[in-house]
Amino acid sequence: GNMECYLCERDAGISRGWDFWYHGAEPFNKQLATMLSRVVRVDQTPFIRICALVNKLFTGWEKHSIETVQVDRDIFNLFEKQPPHLYFTEKEIARGEAGLRALGIPAGAKWVYLIVRDDAKHPHLPYHSYRNTDIDTYADAALALAERGYYVIRMGAKVSKPLRVNHPRVIDYANSGQDDFMAVYLGAHCAFCLSSGTGPDAIPVIFRRPICYVNYVPLEYLQTYHRGSLAIWKHHEKDGKRMTPAEIYASGAGHFMRAEEFEDAGITLVDNTPEEIMDVALEMESLLWPAVHQDDQSDFWLDFPRSNSKYNNKPLHGEINMRIGAKFLAQYYPTENLDHLQQYEWGMR
């Protein structure tokens, strides 16, 4: 995600220079590393790494070090103005199509890219545990999407337990030999991604695929720039009561990045229910059909803070392109009528 932001900012003239890159560590996905090497200069030797280390010995070193304006957040809304920078070669496309057949996915089929962060991811970083969720709560959504004809492919390099859904179109790829290449190919071509908000969803993001975020935390870090995306967040409870968005903002919890911050503030995070996840997943699917009517969400977005990051004091948001799940939002901002959603979900196929 950071690299796609950099490439967009470079092409927009925001970032200028003759840039060289190196791998700071072993690439987490070798296919992405290969694709990036086609669009930026990547030094495979130690030379540029040594240059970067020496550079930091001098005053003003920062002007020679490349950074995006806001890490992996597209605050200039460039993603919607520029096509993806990474691409597949003809040979890779043939490999990807063969990989789909090997997974039992026929030509012309559509699939959902499912990513759920759980306690198998970075167990050595317990302060991020507030982001973990239980794959069991996604089973109803996976089954409902499969019944609508989608393949649902559960991804993950490390997961704590299997996705227990008995349906021929639900594939627990995380537990059946996921490889780097197909992780990228599947994410780049999915109908949409269903994610709890974790690193690998950068793959569908950089390929401009729609994303449905569930159990999202922290609230003020919603990926608002991503057009066609939907989101619902973990409920926040304090003193036995559910906090409103305004109360979350006022408490500072919209910016909390560590589990102990929520604990110290006396806030308990409550995961989305299986029904909430299924509802927003089906709403996401319905939004792929352009005829669907969308409720006005201006009240929520008028209240939503346009704050800066506490880490670099730069804006977190540009133009708001995201929507909140309609049924979920009605718990906080009641709407008069959601019948049209039910009508579409069950009446138009």
Side-chain angles (χ1 to χ4, degrees):
N2 305 49
M3 288 302 297
E4 184 65 15
C5 279
Y6 158 77
L7 291 164
C8 286
E9 290 172 10
R10 181 194 67 182
D11 289 357
I14 297 169
S15 174
R16 292 187 177 91
W18 192 257
D19 300 334
F20 295 89
W21 297 84
Y22 64 94
H23 292 298
E26 183 70 19
F28 84 94
N29 184 295
K30 290 182 173 58
Q31 175 62 23
L32 279 179
T34 297
M35 297 172 85
L36 280 167
S37 68
R38 297 171 188 154
V39 293
V40 296
R41 304 174 192 89
V42 181
D43 181 15
Q44 304 292 345
T45 75
F47 179 70
I48 295 299
R49 180 197 292 266
I50 293 171
C51 290
L53 292 172
V54 172
N55 177 54
K56 290 188 176 181
L57 299 175
F58 296 91
T59 302
W61 66 269
E62 295 92 343
K63 65 182 179 181
H64 300 293
S65 181
I66 304 165
E67 288 187 4
T68 60
V69 174
Q70 188 50 281
V71 195
D72 62 349
R73 301 179 67 85
D74 178 27
I75 63 172
F76 299 112
N77 300 98
L78 298 175
F79 283 17
E80 62 191 272
K81 301 168 186 172
Q82 299 180 22
H85 289 81
L86 302 192
Y87 60 89
F88 295 91
T89 64
E90 289 187 11
K91 184 177 179 180
E92 287 172 337
I93 292 171
R95 178 183 174 185
E97 293 303 302
L100 293 178
R101 304 296 92 78
L103 285 171
I105 302 174
K110 296 180 179 181
W111 62 88
V112 176
Y113 195 80
L114 173 62
I115 310 171
V116 178
R117 192 186 200 280
D118 61 26
D119 55 15
K121 186 175 177 68
H122 302 316
H124 60 295
L125 301 176
Y127 60 85
H128 267 298
S129 60
Y130 70 93
R131 298 169 59 196
N132 295 340
T133 60
D134 186 348
I135 187 62
D136 290 345
T137 61
Y138 295 75
D140 289 350
L143 182 59
L145 290 166
E147 289 293 334
R148 291 193 173 197
Y150 291 83
Y151 284 80
V152 179
I153 308 174
R154 191 269 188 100
M155 309 298 297
K158 292 182 180 180
V159 295
S160 61
K161 60 182 179 180
L163 171 61
R164 298 182 180 91
V165 179
N166 184 19
H167 194 287
R169 285 193 290 272
V170 177
I171 302 170
D172 192 0
Y173 194 32
N175 284 293
S176 57
Q178 172 180 312
D179 66 41
D180 283 2
F181 176 81
M182 286 306 294
V184 180
Y185 195 81
L186 288 164
H189 296 91
C190 63
F192 69 90
C193 171
L194 178 60
S195 173
S196 61
T198 185
D201 62 29
I203 295 171
V205 167
I206 64 178
F207 286 99
R208 314 301 194 264
R209 307 313 303 149
I211 300 211
C212 179
Y213 297 99
V214 300
N215 285 303
Y216 197 91
V217 194
L219 180 55
E220 290 186 53
Y221 275 74
L222 285 172
Q223 307 290 329
T224 55
Y225 63 87
H226 194 58
R227 187 171 295 281
S229 60
L230 267 178
I232 61 177
W233 59 87
K234 288 193 179 191
H235 299 290
H236 296 51
E237 291 186 354
K238 185 170 184 177
D239 300 326
K241 296 181 180 178
R242 181 177 293 178
M243 298 173 70
T244 66
E247 290 170 336
I248 295 171
Y249 309 145
S251 72
H255 279 266
F256 288 172
M257 291 286 198
R258 302 178 70 93
E260 57 265 31
E261 290 182 284
F262 292 99
E263 294 168 7
D264 293 344
I267 296 173
T268 300
L269 295 176
V270 180
D271 287 5
N272 297 134
T273 65
E275 182 179 9
E276 288 173 337
I277 295 171
M278 182 177 68
D279 284 343
V280 74
L282 293 179
E283 183 181 353
M284 181 79 249
E285 192 273 336
S286 75
L287 293 181
L288 302 179
W289 299 73
V292 142
H293 168 75
Q294 298 180 2
D295 291 315
D296 178 29
Q297 297 189 343
S298 57
D299 286 348
F300 175 81
W301 292 114
L302 284 171
D303 294 341
F304 188 78
R306 306 302 196 270
S307 50
N308 288 1
S309 166
K310 65 181 180 181
Y311 296 101
N312 61 17
N313 200 35
K314 294 179 181 178
L316 288 170
H317 307 280
E319 180 183 342
I320 303 294
N321 288 329
M322 170 176 276
R323 290 181 57 80
I324 306 301
K327 293 183 180 179
F328 180 87
L329 190 61
Q331 301 177 58
Y332 294 95
Y333 291 78
T335 55
E336 290 182 7
N337 192 338
L338 292 174
D339 287 346
H340 64 274
L341 284 178
Q342 287 287 2
Q343 236 176 14
Y344 188 86
E345 287 172 6
W346 305 115
M348 294 181 64
R349 275 296 173 275

